[in-house]
């Protein structure tokens, strides 16, 4: 039997690949693939910085377990460990749960993340991909409030 989660809601952040299932991050013609990869890491770091320590939901980070993605996640977490202070540093260390998923297509990774969260007992799952930077507290609180009133937001 799974351990009851700390909160009834979780923010599931799922790492998308820069190119996946026929879609890709496009920042314009002036960027090399290496630049896009770096920006993608910055998007993910930005999302984590904005959500850590909010105390309105648990935060889980999911990623497809390929060597490159594992290394990128490790790089981001190590960077944040050096940069964050106070409440956010504590949340990174104590509250962020990181889970590897099988390196499947995006839709299957989404399904695995939702299934894992619901199996752990969460009643509400906010799901975001890593191509979504600048999520702020106000927007996330509104999404959670709406989700608690309906099946999907």
């Amino acid at each position: 039997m799974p351990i009851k989660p700390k909160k009834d809601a979780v923010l599931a952040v799922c790492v998308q690949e820069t190119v996946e299932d026929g879609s890709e991050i496009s920042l314009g013609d002036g960027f090399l693939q290496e630049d896009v990869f770096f920006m993608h890491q910055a998007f993910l770091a930005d999302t984590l910085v904005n959500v850590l320590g909010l105390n309105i939901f648990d935060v889980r980070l999911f990623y497809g377990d390929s060597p490159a993605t594992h290394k990128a996640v490790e790089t981001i977490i190590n960077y944040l460990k050096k940069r964050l202070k106070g409440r956010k540093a504590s949340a990174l260390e104590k509250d962020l749960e990181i889970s590897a998923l099988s390196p499947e297509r995006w839709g299957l990774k989404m399904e695995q993340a939702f299934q894992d969260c619901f199996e752990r007992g969460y009643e509400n799952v906010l799901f975001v991909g890593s191509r979504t930077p600048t999520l702020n507290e106000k927007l996330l609180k509104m999404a959670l409030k709406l989700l608690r009133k309906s099946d999907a937001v």
Side-chain angles (χ1 to χ4, degrees):
M1 176 177 255
I3 298 171
K4 181 83 172 139
K6 298 176 205 168
K7 298 178 179 66
D8 74 327
V10 62
L11 176 68
V13 180
C14 194
V15 177
Q16 295 169 268
E17 305 302 326
T18 56
V19 176
E20 184 170 39
D21 292 345
S23 73
E24 64 183 279
I25 296 176
S26 177
L27 300 173
D29 294 334
F31 291 93
L32 300 172
Q33 188 59 34
E34 177 181 310
D35 297 330
V36 172
F37 183 75
F38 179 77
M39 289 298 296
H40 182 239
Q41 288 182 334
F43 291 169
L44 181 55
D46 179 71
T47 296
L48 292 174
V49 167
N50 286 333
V51 302
L52 286 170
L54 286 183
N55 223 16
I56 57 175
F57 42 57
D58 289 339
V59 180
R60 301 210 37 220
L61 177 63
F62 294 92
Y63 69 95
D65 197 13
S66 70
T69 306
H70 178 82
K71 183 177 181 191
V73 168
E74 200 172 70
T75 299
I76 293 162
I77 298 302
N78 288 336
Y79 169 78
L80 293 176
K81 283 180 180 178
K82 293 175 189 172
R83 304 289 293 180
L84 295 178
K85 305 282 186 245
R87 171 177 60 105
K88 289 187 182 284
S90 177
L92 177 69
E93 215 39 59
K94 296 177 186 172
D95 300 331
L96 177 65
E97 184 177 344
I98 302 172
S99 300
L101 302 170
S102 58
E104 301 284 347
R105 293 184 336 268
W106 175 241
L108 293 174
K109 287 189 279 192
M110 287 175 59
E111 182 180 345
Q112 289 173 29
F114 272 108
Q115 183 176 358
D116 189 80
C117 290
F118 285 123
E119 284 176 356
R120 287 178 179 243
Y122 290 104
E123 295 174 28
N124 298 288
V125 178
L126 287 173
F127 181 94
V128 296
S130 58
R131 297 181 188 175
T132 313
T134 66
L135 292 172
N136 62 48
E137 182 175 358
K138 182 179 176 183
L139 183 65
L140 290 167
K141 283 181 175 180
M142 180 177 60
L144 185 56
K145 182 179 177 180
L146 292 170
L147 183 58
R148 286 188 167 128
K149 294 179 181 180
S150 65
D151 288 347
V153 178

